[in-house]
Amino acid sequence: MEVLLDELVKLSRLESSMIQIKCEKCSIRKTISEAVFQIMLPLSDD
């Protein structure tokens, strides 16, 4: 539930222009790897 609330706060900040998205070139492999790591890290705490 806390994760959902955190994501809603981030979304509201994005919509209110408190957070700006910047396009930049990067490695898709690195991006996917970091995303998977962020998802798997909380699972390893159990």
Side-chain angles (χ1 to χ4, degrees):
M1 185 64 136
E2 185 177 334
V3 173
L4 178 59
L5 291 175
D6 287 341
E7 293 304 317
L8 288 173
V9 168
K10 288 179 190 176
L11 181 59
S12 69
R13 288 179 179 162
L14 182 62
E15 289 177 344
S16 67
S17 298
M18 290 176 69
I19 298 175
Q20 305 244 335
I21 296 177
K22 176 177 77 172
C23 292
E24 60 183 55
K25 290 188 175 193
C26 62
S27 165
I28 189 70
R29 178 173 287 165
K30 180 180 176 191
T31 302
I32 292 172
S33 176
E34 289 174 359
V36 169
F37 179 75
Q38 288 180 8
I39 291 170
M40 298 303 288
L41 187 60
L43 295 177
S44 66
D45 291 341
D46 291 339

